[in-house]
Amino acid sequence: MKLQRKNRLRATALGALAVSSALVLTACGSDNNSGSSTGGSGEKTSAASNIKCDDAKGQLLASGSSAQKNAMDLWVKDYMAGCKGVEINYKSSSSGEGIIAFNQGTVGFAGSDSALKPEEVADSKKICKTGQGINLPMVGGPIAIGFHLEGVDSLTLDAPTLAKIFDGKIKKWNDPAIAKLNKGAKLPDKAIQAFHRSEDSGTTQNLGKYLAATAPNDWKYEPEKKWPAPGGQAASGSAGVAAQVKQVDGSIGYFELSYASSQSISTVDINTGGSAPVKATSENASKAIAAAKIKGTGKDLALDLDYTTKAEGAYPIVLVTYEVVCDSGNKAETLPTVKSFLNYTASDEGQKVLTDAGYAPIPTEINAKVRETIASLK
């Protein structure tokens, strides 16, 4: 996200950790002074932004992925400006915590950077009385590899070298493997301090999928939400990892591009085997995500990402954040707000704000299916 725009966001923490605070923007006023108009069909629409508020009302609680926090901040701000009297409270924690909250029935939807596992779908049927939890891809983007190394502004790594760094096998910045990829760079004889997420995280799992697919000889771990490798240092949430990398000379970590952009953290270019190393940008991530295929069945829209792509300009370390909802059996009191809010986030207007925030919009063909599914929720 551009720093100036981020500074305009105002959030109130509701008992969450400082590094993963929830956004609550309270709005008040009646239809007569809210800037909204009612059409002949009774559909209430924001005159300012064309956000369809429909029958949305009251408070909607949601939680999960910190990867989409900066996008969610923008969405909530815009939506609540258009739909007066509606309060969206998204608690940015982690994908794992979001799924737990969803399957406990305490939130209207959850954000997760990994699709539901079969056992999580089974658990969701207890909450979605007449249906089950499904995955709606809503936010795409690169997982940036951020680094802080005094005197070094540009750095290229490939998958095997990255795997060895995060597995503690490469311990110094002037290691020959790093030097070979960065000819002419003045790499210091300094210890590498690698940071990872402390809690279950879909961002961790997606990085693990990339390393397992592209460096199987050097990354022997199953891609799970819990960080698998020994050593390294842990921090809470993407914000926590980014804060450590920002502060600590000799550090490296992983987080969504928006965190790197907003804090001016240098990011690693990835050598994929193509003609040139690829930078972590929204545009380059979009090239990789555009090749994704839907692997979910029925109304589930889970995606299959190609982490091994060598396409020119395609940044391979990507994730897609899903909004997890019940396909049917949603709570009657929150369903209209869930549908109204997600209709906005999946709209052309909602997706358009993602690029400036360091994310990548969901490909048009897939997003059309997302909209159809949201309309069918019951």
Side-chain angles (χ1 to χ4, degrees):
M1 179 191 304
K2 293 181 179 179
L3 187 57
Q4 290 182 340
R5 191 167 190 180
K6 181 182 178 186
N7 286 340
R8 290 199 297 266
L9 298 176
R10 293 183 297 173
T12 300
L14 289 182
L17 294 175
V19 295
S20 57
S21 62
L23 177 70
V24 177
L25 301 172
T26 55
C28 57
S30 67
D31 289 347
N32 293 332
N33 61 11
S34 66
S36 297
S37 61
T38 302
S41 64
E43 181 183 77
K44 188 173 64 176
T45 302
S46 164
S49 62
N50 293 322
I51 294 175
K52 294 181 179 179
C53 306
D54 297 324
D55 296 320
K57 60 183 178 181
Q59 184 185 63
L60 175 64
L61 301 179
S63 70
S65 165
S66 66
Q68 68 171 355
K69 179 187 183 302
N70 293 330
M72 193 61 71
D73 284 355
L74 285 173
W75 282 336
V76 170
K77 174 179 178 288
D78 291 346
Y79 179 83
M80 290 176 55
C83 298
K84 303 296 184 180
V86 182
E87 181 180 309
I88 309 294
N89 173 19
Y90 181 79
K91 179 183 177 182
S92 171
S93 50
S94 69
S95 297
E97 291 176 45
I99 296 303
I100 290 172
F102 179 77
N103 281 340
Q104 290 176 341
T106 60
V107 294
F109 71 88
S112 177
D113 306 322
S114 293
L116 292 167
K117 295 179 179 179
E119 58 269 27
E120 292 171 337
V121 173
D123 286 344
S124 73
K125 294 178 180 180
K126 302 171 187 176
I127 298 301
C128 309
K129 301 294 185 181
T130 58
Q132 65 182 42
I134 57 172
N135 304 282
L136 301 179
M138 199 66 69
V139 184
I143 300 175
I145 307 299
F147 71 97
H148 178 177
L149 191 59
E150 295 295 336
V152 178
D153 298 322
S154 178
L155 188 69
T156 294
L157 296 174
D158 58 14
T161 306
L162 197 59
K164 292 172 186 174
I165 288 173
F166 279 116
D167 199 22
K169 301 295 174 56
I170 291 180
K171 301 179 183 298
K172 292 287 189 76
W173 280 110
N174 62 347
D175 187 276
I178 300 177
K180 184 178 180 180
L181 292 165
N182 296 273
K183 297 186 184 304
K186 295 181 179 180
L187 299 169
D189 182 16
K190 183 184 292 291
I192 296 174
Q193 298 193 57
F195 286 90
H196 59 263
R197 293 280 289 273
S198 60
E199 74 287 3
D200 286 3
S201 161
T203 310
T204 294
Q205 188 171 38
N206 279 278
L207 175 63
K209 288 178 180 178
Y210 164 74
L211 294 175
T214 55
N217 293 329
D218 299 297
W219 191 258
K220 303 291 188 179
Y221 308 101
E222 288 294 320
E224 297 291 347
K225 292 179 181 178
K226 184 177 180 62
W227 180 255
Q233 301 179 60
S236 179
S238 292
V241 175
Q244 290 298 320
V245 172
K246 177 73 172 178
Q247 296 170 11
V248 179
D249 184 23
S251 62
I252 190 170
Y254 58 94
F255 32 80
E256 294 66 44
L257 180 62
S258 59
Y259 291 92
S261 300
S262 63
Q263 298 187 51
S264 300
I265 297 173
S266 298
T267 60
V268 171
D269 298 341
I270 300 298
N271 183 336
T272 64
S275 62
V278 185
K279 294 185 178 299
T281 68
S282 297
E283 181 182 4
N284 291 343
S286 292
K287 293 176 183 177
I289 295 172
K293 305 296 183 184
I294 295 175
K295 65 178 180 180
T297 57
K299 293 183 179 180
D300 185 82
L301 300 178
L303 301 179
D304 186 14
L305 299 170
D306 181 10
Y307 297 97
T308 63
T309 181
K310 291 180 174 60
E312 291 302 314
Y315 184 81
I317 317 177
V318 295
L319 60 74
V320 168
T321 297
Y322 301 94
E323 311 310 338
V324 177
V325 296
C326 296
D327 57 1
S328 67
N330 289 279
K331 294 179 180 179
E333 62 270 26
T334 57
L335 177 59
T337 308
V338 169
K339 293 178 71 171
S340 172
F341 179 67
L342 295 184
N343 267 325
Y344 166 62
T345 64
S347 70
D348 290 339
E349 182 181 4
Q351 289 288 299
K352 187 177 180 181
V353 306
L354 294 179
T355 301
D356 284 347
Y359 297 97
I362 298 300
T364 302
E365 183 178 343
I366 295 172
N367 196 44
K369 296 181 183 297
V370 172
R371 295 179 193 177
E372 291 175 8
T373 303
I374 293 171
S376 72
L377 299 180
K378 57 186 179 179

